[in-house]
Amino acid sequence: KIFLSKLPPSPVVKLDSLFSFFHTQGAFSGSVLVKQKNSIIFQKSYGLADEGKQMPNTDSTQFRIGSLTKPFTSLLIRQLEQEGKLSLQDSVGKFFPGHVHGTVLIEQLLTHTSGIPNYTVRDEYLVELMSRPLNSEYIIKNFCSDPLEFKSGTGFRYSNSGYVILAGIIEKASGQSYAYRLQEKIFEPLQMSSSGSSNARLNSKGYWLKEIEPAYPVSNTVGAGGIWTTTGDLEKWDQALYGNKLLPQEKIQERFQTRADYT
């Protein structure tokens, strides 16, 4: 903080100094894009996308964005609502008859108020999830059916399970795969040509504690994770949230309303 206070007032200088510091400390490697007042004021990459090939990160380096996938899933659901193919008050049972949590509502899945436990924290589930690709119906039936942690709608608990179920609902309501729907309804309209949702080989490698991260079937997190993209494509996505290209603005703003207390 003392060092930053002595720098020129330019935010660009301060941002570069900040990320350079963390990079030299071995605490950051990646690409950065910063917007202020709707303009990109800073865009730079640090470190290596592939240490083995000594390939540097650039603006076109693709990264897996993990749970930042969830807002994309949410928007796909709201688009289907706009098309009249589902309602937020529809139940899981409408799309998955016989599911143990058939009375849970789509809105509760979207807002993490369903009470369905998070399937990615169970070690016995992770062993299978890491070992082979599984289809979403198998995951929903076998890993998203544990007893509720609380009565649906009465609490908040972050749950990947809810978003895997939402991906399944997207496929049932649209008659298309999640990946195809994502491509057709978001990536193509926004010209996010460097983005996807699959187990594809990327132009970067992930590292964990200086080792290459364990390989696992990314498709096993469909809806909750699995998207890969670049900073430039993410900027296009961000910009779209302030317009009407993907969904009427009033519908987009509804997604940002407070739904549950989180302490």
Side-chain angles (χ1 to χ4, degrees):
K1 286 183 178 179
I2 294 172
F3 175 73
L4 287 174
S5 68
K6 295 178 180 179
L7 291 173
S10 166
V12 173
V13 174
K14 290 189 175 184
L15 285 165
D16 190 24
S17 178
L18 189 67
F19 286 106
S20 294
F21 170 79
F22 284 112
H23 175 60
T24 58
Q25 298 298 310
F28 177 73
S29 175
S31 298
V32 182
L33 186 152
V34 180
K35 290 173 69 175
Q36 185 177 50
K37 295 181 180 178
N38 209 34
S39 297
I40 298 172
I41 63 167
F42 183 73
Q43 190 169 12
K44 189 173 179 179
S45 297
Y46 304 80
L48 298 174
D50 187 326
E51 294 181 4
K53 297 179 180 178
Q54 288 293 291
M55 183 191 305
N57 284 314
T58 68
D59 295 346
S60 60
T61 300
Q62 298 161 322
F63 299 95
R64 301 198 186 281
I65 61 171
S67 285
L68 287 181
T69 296
K70 291 182 176 69
F72 289 84
T73 301
S74 169
L75 194 128
L76 290 175
I77 286 285
R78 298 307 296 263
Q79 286 177 331
L80 286 166
E81 178 196 26
Q82 184 76 2
E83 294 171 20
K85 294 181 178 178
L86 57 75
S87 163
L88 298 192
Q89 300 308 307
D90 284 343
S91 67
V92 170
K94 179 177 178 178
F95 301 93
F96 294 97
H99 192 278
V100 66
H101 300 313
T103 59
V104 170
L105 305 180
I106 289 177
E107 184 174 32
Q108 293 167 343
L109 298 174
L110 284 169
T111 57
H112 298 286
T113 58
S114 70
I116 299 175
N118 186 0
Y119 79 107
T120 58
V121 300
R122 291 279 298 269
D123 288 345
E124 60 269 39
Y125 293 168
L126 286 175
V127 170
E128 193 169 357
L129 290 164
M130 295 285 284
S131 64
R132 62 189 177 93
L134 306 167
N135 66 56
S136 58
E137 291 213 24
Y138 179 90
I139 295 172
I140 290 167
K141 179 181 178 181
N142 293 281
F143 300 157
C144 302
S145 301
D146 291 343
L148 295 179
E149 295 182 304
F150 51 82
K151 183 180 177 181
S152 299
T154 65
F156 175 96
R157 184 68 63 85
Y158 187 89
S159 175
N160 285 303
S161 302
Y163 273 75
V164 170
I165 296 172
L166 286 170
I169 290 173
I170 288 168
E171 294 185 335
K172 295 278 189 180
S174 68
Q176 299 170 320
S177 72
Y178 176 88
Y180 184 89
R181 188 81 180 174
L182 186 65
Q183 188 71 33
E184 180 186 49
K185 295 296 184 178
I186 298 180
F187 292 160
E188 288 181 4
L190 300 184
Q191 297 182 321
M192 294 175 64
S193 57
S194 296
S195 303
S197 175
S198 67
N199 296 319
R201 293 175 66 90
L202 308 184
N203 59 14
S204 70
K205 291 184 177 179
Y207 296 88
W208 178 251
L209 300 177
K210 298 185 178 181
E211 299 290 335
I212 294 179
E213 66 177 349
Y216 68 95
V218 178
S219 57
N220 288 348
T221 64
V222 63
I227 288 179
W228 43 267
T229 188
T230 63
T231 51
D233 272 9
L234 272 183
E235 192 275 330
K236 294 175 183 177
W237 159 251
D238 173 71
Q239 190 66 33
L241 298 179
Y242 301 96
N244 301 295
K245 197 164 189 177
L246 299 177
L247 202 63
Q249 188 57 214
E250 62 269 19
K251 287 292 183 183
I252 289 180
Q253 289 306 314
E254 282 179 12
R255 301 168 70 232
F256 293 103
Q257 293 176 4
T258 302
R259 305 283 178 155
D261 289 331
Y262 176 58
T263 57

